[in-house]
Amino acid sequence: MSTSYRDWMIIIFGLHLDSQRSWKKRDAFGHLELGPSGLLSQLEQYLGLSSPPAVKLHRLIHYRSILQRLDNGSRFYSRSMQVDDFGVASALLDMRDDLYLHGWDGSYRHRAVTKRLSDLAEIERALLEEEGFEPCNGERLMSVLEALKVLRTPITVLRLLEPLDHHPRRWQEVIRLLPFSYSNAFDRPLAREGSSLACLQKRLLTDSQSASDPKDIADASIRVLTADTALAAAYYATATLSASADDVLLVHDGKAGLLDDVLAAEHFPQQAFSHSSSSRPALQLLPLALRLTFRPLDISALLAFLTLPAGINPVHPVLRERIVSIVSRYPGIGGEAWVKTLNEFRNEGGEDADSSVKSFLEWVDGATQDRHDGMTSGQLIAVTCRVTNFFDEQVRSLSDDLLKEACSAGLEQASDFLSALKTIQQHGTCWLSIYQIEQLLSKTGEKSSRKSLYVRQAGSVPDASCPGGVCEPSSHVFWWWMAAPLIEQGGIWSSRERVFLEGEGIVFPSQEQKLLWQEEEWRRPVLAARHSLTLLLPPDETQRHPLWMKIASLFPSIPVMQIEHPQTTGIACTPIVQRPLAARKPFWSVPGIVLGKKQSFSPTSLEKLIADPCQWFLEYEAKLSPSKVLDVSDGPRLYGLLFHRMVQKLCPVLHGGSVTMSSIDAWFDECFAILVKQEGAVLLMEGRNADLEGLRLRIRHALHHLLPVLVRQGARSIVAEQRLDGRFAGGNLYGYIDILLHDDEARPSVIDMKWGGGTRRRQSLAAGTHLQLLVYAWLVYQKTGRWPALAYFIASRAELLADTAGFFVAGNAVRTENDESAALLWERVLASFTWRMEQIEAGRLAVSCDREAGYEDGSPPEALKPLFASAMYNPYRFLVGWGECL
């Protein structure tokens, strides 16, 4: 043995101590607290058996290749392998490793009693014939056992937290060759005699229940609390831990991340509970890049890719900012807005911009494989190499430590995935289905999902993520979020197989033993408390820990205090005086309003000024901008946009004569297919076929009804999305007319296209409040000297609603109540506008209410009656007050 070893070494060994930190800090050498993984690595180091750690994913891929090679269609796993080969390989590999840990050596002395056991032995023989398969913990323990027979270690004391017979057979064999001892540190009450805590510990140890006596819980040694929310509980726990004396042990079953966040927010030391996050942006680049290689295009993946943060996004930031709004509005690749944006960016930035566009298109415009066809390993490697190269360059060039750490995590994930793909290639797999890719990706980069900068800080208290991780007594024990844990499940082996395996020396604990041992572990935090025990329970609707059920049965009168009630918990709280929300008023008084000198109105802004001056002022004068949630256009909004785009494409070809009544269907099929791919690709995604076909039929039906109108009323000219500019009493006026038509007599007509809302549009025509159309009419009149006929076309119903009887083909005339002309209605608009401007200049802003806002203030009777705008369309509705107008 090397003389560099110390003369002594004390090790506390527990089956649940891996990744735990439940012991107090010590100023001592030669003293370790280890779990199975830690002790095994330590023994290998002492005995000269250390080797690079096994890569679980490589073991899985190797084992999967053996299973596939031996699969003759009649194996016990054959049918399952056809559904989920990686999942089956993972389950069987765990089964094989568990067999080794409990005493298997890879073969049987007797003939196997079931096909499953015989198949496992045959798989093992094939595995032993190959080289390079990394050993499991059971095999490593067998090597340690052989070395211990001839070598010694510096371990002088090995203290077991669990009895020897609780350990798997391979561990028992190794432990017997070491100077081990076992003494139960939690076999007697440790609390002060006569305290409530001591009484609880006695009853848990004896499992007895005496007559319920309120005096049993008469002091503060036990506190049981609950909260309506985990956040309130976290703030209470933070205050309690910060105010506690030394020697505190924190036990946490769930919601640990929230507790750590609150500790950090309150400027207390972080515990850095070990938890991973697959939502870290750097870990999303590889999955998104893979999703973007499949057809049909995954619009959600494209939008997520474009919105990745700067530093871990390979797209030029300016281009990304511009293109993301295009994708959100026109979900697809290659549409007119898409091409226009790319060209504008190229023209502004020169050669660098051109290379940025090329790089961008390589990332997002390479969908060549059908999703159901999967992808070859070579194609997967090409995509993964692109991600790896990007992160590698970022790690070398970035100066920001946080970004560099994030890119390092992404590089680690991509490198692991690339290594796994190459290993798969070496074992003869050249093609992977989409499910296999997702399975492989989910098992890749587990280490990289850890928050490496999320470190334990000085001043943190000992903690255990499971009750079995408690290894020594503490003065105060705080059990956070005592929710129900996972219960030990029954074994996978049948009774016949268990008898056979026991005859082979492979002994598994029974389900009864597992449950008994688990119950003993649950009691350990309670028995470890010397002075106080605090149990923080989740709300009643959440399933609570079985140990709490046991405690509640032993002490039926134990009080459970509600954290939200300060009088019961003694928490220092600042009372908040309840104040009512501001009530809604018909007017805001805003003296000294000065409007911009150059007013320019669109139909929308003009209607808001007349119908809801307060909303108009906040949006156009105060320049308030509501926050926007970036989302993919879908539903009626997308349907209306696609219908508008189809009409825009139809008008020029119809006027040019290349499309006629008889050829409209052929043109429609070709144009609609291209348009959906470029601007409505969300409808091509899986599960949307019914929506796509329904929309195809509705738009085709709507165009068939609109076409005769366009042909007759547009005999001289048909223009879609025509911008017209003009003036009126309030300043400049402009608008984009959906369809502007002139018939063979040069009579103008205007059609405003809407996807839905037919009932509301019919009512507005009848009431004479179709202000948007009236604005268009005034602009056309200024340009041509003639008032146009006006109509709404409701695409979802293929219905034309016109203000002029007999003018539009197949149109439904809706006359105003007094049969007023557009010219007269426009005069009413001007009167209403003047009246509203007088109010605004006087410092009074009317608030739209469920009744006719502001008319009780002496408005002219001939003014245009504004329509009440639904509150759901007003982003400022909560700024103007709550409830009914006073």
Side-chain angles (χ1 to χ4, degrees):
M1 172 182 168
S2 172
T3 57
S4 63
Y5 288 141
R6 306 184 192 283
D7 294 331
W8 53 269
M9 175 66 72
I10 299 174
I11 294 179
I12 296 177
F13 176 58
L15 290 173
H16 304 281
L17 288 190
D18 281 329
S19 302
Q20 300 300 311
R21 299 165 297 190
S22 61
W23 48 89
K24 306 176 189 66
K25 301 176 180 66
R26 299 181 178 87
D27 294 327
F29 291 105
H31 194 290
L32 297 174
E33 293 81 9
L34 301 173
S37 296
L39 182 56
L40 178 54
S41 298
Q42 199 76 19
L43 289 172
E44 288 178 328
Q45 181 181 352
Y46 292 149
L47 300 170
L49 300 174
S50 296
S51 60
V55 180
K56 183 178 179 181
L57 187 56
H58 289 179
R59 296 183 74 239
L60 173 61
I61 293 171
H62 195 162
Y63 200 72
R64 168 180 168 272
S65 68
I66 296 294
L67 294 177
Q68 289 178 326
R69 180 158 57 84
L70 296 181
D71 188 2
N72 55 11
S74 61
R75 301 290 182 187
F76 78 96
Y77 59 83
S78 293
R79 294 178 63 185
S80 299
M81 281 287 287
Q82 296 174 5
V83 178
D84 183 5
D85 53 348
F86 278 104
V88 171
S90 178
L92 295 186
L93 182 58
D94 289 342
M95 186 187 301
R96 180 241 185 212
D97 293 349
D98 204 34
L99 282 169
Y100 268 99
L101 192 61
H102 286 84
W104 195 35
D105 60 5
S107 61
Y108 308 126
R109 296 190 301 273
H110 306 92
R111 183 177 179 181
V113 295
T114 63
K115 183 170 181 53
R116 175 163 63 167
L117 290 174
S118 62
D119 282 351
L120 287 175
E122 189 170 344
I123 294 169
E124 196 62 26
R125 285 194 296 270
L127 197 61
L128 294 175
E129 293 174 358
E130 296 192 5
E131 296 181 357
F133 188 71
E134 297 166 329
C136 62
N137 285 355
E139 293 170 291
R140 292 167 62 191
L141 285 170
M142 292 168 64
S143 300
V144 168
L145 180 64
E146 293 302 316
L148 283 175
K149 293 178 181 178
V150 295
L151 299 174
R152 68 184 183 90
T153 70
I155 299 175
T156 53
V157 177
L158 181 67
R159 295 176 182 168
L160 304 181
L161 287 183
E162 293 86 10
L164 183 63
D165 61 353
H166 287 200
H167 297 72
R169 177 184 165 183
R170 292 303 180 198
W171 270 114
Q172 293 183 31
E173 293 172 346
V174 169
I175 291 171
R176 287 193 179 97
L177 296 182
L178 297 171
F180 79 95
S181 65
Y182 168 71
S183 60
N184 190 352
F186 309 109
D187 59 351
R188 63 187 184 282
L190 299 178
R192 177 180 54 82
E193 183 66 29
S195 65
S196 301
L197 181 56
C199 179
L200 173 60
Q201 290 173 344
K202 286 180 183 178
R203 292 192 182 182
L204 287 177
L205 286 169
T206 59
D207 201 20
S208 62
Q209 182 174 6
S210 59
S212 176
D213 185 355
K215 296 180 180 180
D216 289 341
I217 305 295
D219 55 38
S221 61
I222 299 178
R223 286 170 66 86
V224 184
L225 304 104
T226 188
D228 291 335
T229 65
L231 184 61
Y235 274 99
Y236 171 81
T238 298
T240 302
L241 292 173
S242 62
S244 299
D246 294 334
D247 196 14
V248 177
L249 171 64
L250 174 63
V251 181
H252 51 95
D253 274 356
K255 304 284 186 180
L258 176 62
L259 177 57
D260 229 0
D261 291 339
V262 173
L263 285 169
E266 294 296 299
H267 306 290
F268 292 112
Q270 287 183 344
Q271 295 294 127
F273 298 123
S274 178
H275 65 284
S276 60
S277 173
S278 60
S279 299
R280 297 176 66 188
L283 303 183
Q284 297 303 305
L285 182 57
L286 176 60
L288 291 174
L290 292 172
R291 286 169 62 183
L292 290 175
T293 58
F294 290 104
R295 296 192 309 254
L297 177 66
D298 189 334
I299 293 296
S300 300
L302 177 59
L303 192 63
F305 171 80
L306 291 170
T307 53
L308 285 174
I312 59 175
N313 194 316
V315 184
H316 191 284
V318 175
L319 177 60
R320 172 165 50 89
E321 183 178 351
R322 295 182 184 181
I323 208 72
V324 72
S325 60
I326 299 299
V327 172
S328 176
R329 180 170 172 80
Y330 307 99
I333 290 178
E336 291 182 7
W338 172 282
V339 174
K340 180 181 178 182
T341 301
L342 295 184
N343 289 336
E344 289 176 350
F345 181 78
R346 282 193 185 99
N347 296 333
E348 294 172 4
E351 294 181 1
D352 291 341
D354 188 63
S355 62
S356 296
V357 170
K358 289 180 180 178
S359 174
F360 166 64
L361 294 177
E362 287 177 359
W363 283 94
V364 304
D365 198 15
T368 57
Q369 294 295 121
D370 190 275
R371 182 177 178 85
H372 298 288
D373 294 339
M375 190 180 298
T376 66
S377 55
Q379 291 171 317
L380 287 168
I381 288 174
V383 176
T384 309
C385 283
R386 185 187 301 137
V387 176
T388 304
N389 294 337
F390 167 74
F391 277 132
D392 183 57
E393 182 179 349
Q394 293 295 92
V395 169
R396 287 187 283 105
S397 62
L398 288 172
S399 58
D400 187 294
D401 289 339
L402 288 174
L403 276 178
K404 182 174 290 188
E405 185 273 332
C407 291
S408 297
L411 178 60
E412 183 179 10
Q413 178 202 39
S415 299
D416 288 349
F417 190 70
L418 183 61
S419 175
L421 291 173
K422 292 179 178 179
T423 303
I424 285 177
Q425 266 192 335
Q426 293 172 1
H427 287 90
T429 300
C430 298
W431 172 89
L432 293 174
S433 68
I434 183 64
Y435 180 74
Q436 289 174 317
I437 295 171
E438 291 172 351
Q439 287 285 89
L440 188 62
L441 194 60
S442 68
K443 300 178 183 298
T444 302
E446 293 180 355
K447 293 184 295 181
S448 61
S449 65
R450 301 288 173 180
K451 296 183 177 180
S452 57
L453 294 184
Y454 206 56
V455 296
R456 191 178 182 87
Q457 296 178 340
S460 58
V461 301
D463 63 76
S465 60
C466 67
V470 177
C471 63
E472 60 185 19
S474 296
S475 298
H476 310 279
V477 174
F478 190 105
W479 196 329
W480 155 262
W481 209 250
M482 203 175 176
L486 294 175
I487 306 297
E488 284 286 352
Q489 299 299 313
I492 61 174
W493 306 106
S494 66
S495 57
R496 185 183 178 196
E497 288 173 328
R498 289 177 65 89
V499 171
F500 171 79
L501 292 174
E502 289 176 5
E504 295 289 328
I506 307 168
V507 181
F508 291 95
S510 65
Q511 179 67 4
E512 292 75 16
Q513 287 176 310
K514 288 181 179 181
L515 293 175
L516 181 62
W517 296 346
Q518 190 174 49
E519 185 180 358
E520 293 174 0
E521 293 163 6
W522 289 343
R523 297 200 300 256
R524 198 177 292 177
V526 177
L527 299 175
R530 286 197 179 102
H531 297 149
S532 71
L533 170 69
T534 302
L535 305 178
L536 207 160
L537 308 175
D540 289 333
E541 60 269 16
T542 303
Q543 191 173 2
R544 292 170 172 173
H545 201 287
L547 180 63
W548 162 246
M549 305 302 178
K550 178 75 171 179
I551 294 173
S553 67
L554 295 174
F555 292 91
S557 61
I558 187 170
V560 179
M561 295 177 286
Q562 188 76 26
I563 285 177
E564 286 81 3
H565 299 163
Q567 63 274 17
T568 63
T569 59
I571 304 173
C573 297
T574 301
I576 298 176
V577 179
Q578 183 178 4
R579 293 184 299 177
L581 294 170
R584 233 172 151 201
K585 298 178 180 179
F587 285 92
W588 275 8
S589 178
V590 186
I593 295 179
V594 179
L595 301 179
K597 294 182 179 180
K598 294 183 178 179
Q599 292 289 334
S600 184
F601 291 92
S602 68
T604 301
S605 62
L606 184 61
E607 184 169 13
K608 286 180 180 178
L609 185 144
I610 295 174
D612 192 349
C614 186
Q615 180 183 352
W616 171 84
F617 183 83
L618 292 174
E619 182 173 350
Y620 294 98
E621 291 295 320
K623 304 297 183 182
L624 294 186
S625 178
S627 60
K628 296 180 180 179
V629 177
L630 199 61
D631 196 10
V632 176
S633 178
D634 202 353
R637 182 176 60 170
L638 176 63
Y639 303 160
L641 184 146
L642 292 177
F643 179 72
H644 272 75
R645 297 286 290 118
M646 287 294 294
V647 174
Q648 289 176 36
K649 292 179 179 295
L650 173 63
C651 287
V653 296
L654 184 63
H655 185 65
S658 56
V659 173
T660 62
M661 297 283 288
S662 59
S663 64
I664 181 69
D665 285 334
W667 172 88
F668 173 83
D669 291 337
E670 180 182 358
C671 186
F672 184 78
I674 296 174
L675 181 64
V676 168
K677 181 180 179 181
Q678 294 178 344
E679 301 183 16
V682 66
L683 295 170
L684 299 175
M685 294 173 62
E686 289 189 339
R688 300 300 302 274
N689 191 59
D691 295 336
L692 176 61
E693 293 306 315
L695 180 64
R696 187 196 308 273
L697 292 174
R698 295 172 81 177
I699 291 183
R700 185 195 298 271
H701 180 64
L703 289 181
H704 274 279
H705 280 70
L706 182 62
L707 191 60
V709 177
L710 299 180
V711 171
R712 177 173 174 177
Q713 264 65 52
R716 177 167 294 188
S717 68
I718 306 173
V719 183
E721 286 297 309
Q722 175 68 52
R723 174 178 174 129
L724 291 181
D725 293 276
R727 292 190 58 80
F728 79 125
N732 296 324
L733 194 63
Y734 70 93
Y736 290 87
I737 301 176
D738 287 346
I739 308 177
L740 177 60
L741 305 169
H742 290 83
D743 63 11
D744 51 7
E745 299 179 11
R747 292 179 300 178
S749 56
V750 170
I751 299 178
D752 191 37
M753 296 183 294
K754 306 294 182 184
W755 180 255
T759 301
R760 182 158 55 96
R761 303 301 172 184
R762 180 184 291 274
Q763 291 173 350
S764 68
L765 284 171
T769 58
H770 46 293
L771 191 146
Q772 185 176 13
L773 283 176
L774 293 174
V775 172
Y776 294 153
W778 170 246
L779 292 173
V780 172
Y781 173 77
Q782 282 193 313
K783 184 177 180 63
T784 65
R786 305 178 68 170
W787 287 94
L790 304 176
Y792 286 115
F793 185 76
I794 312 302
S796 60
R797 299 181 181 179
E799 181 181 23
L800 188 75
L801 303 175
D803 72 338
T804 305
F807 185 78
F808 287 98
V809 179
N812 298 319
V814 180
R815 307 302 297 271
T816 58
E817 296 175 357
N818 299 320
D819 199 16
E820 295 169 311
S821 66
L824 179 59
L825 291 174
W826 177 248
E827 292 299 323
R828 293 176 181 265
V829 171
L830 295 179
S832 296
F833 173 81
T834 302
W835 164 63
R836 282 301 195 195
M837 290 300 294
E838 290 174 353
Q839 289 182 325
I840 294 172
E841 290 171 358
R844 290 171 64 80
L845 289 175
V847 177
S848 176
C849 299
D850 291 346
R851 50 196 169 85
E852 300 167 6
Y855 277 88
E856 70 279 5
D857 196 46
S859 62
E862 70 273 9
L864 179 73
K865 180 180 177 182
L867 287 178
F868 169 68
S870 175
M872 66 179 295
Y873 299 115
N874 185 354
Y876 314 103
R877 57 188 179 276
F878 298 123
L879 296 181
V880 299
W882 301 74
E884 300 291 334
C885 282
L886 297 179

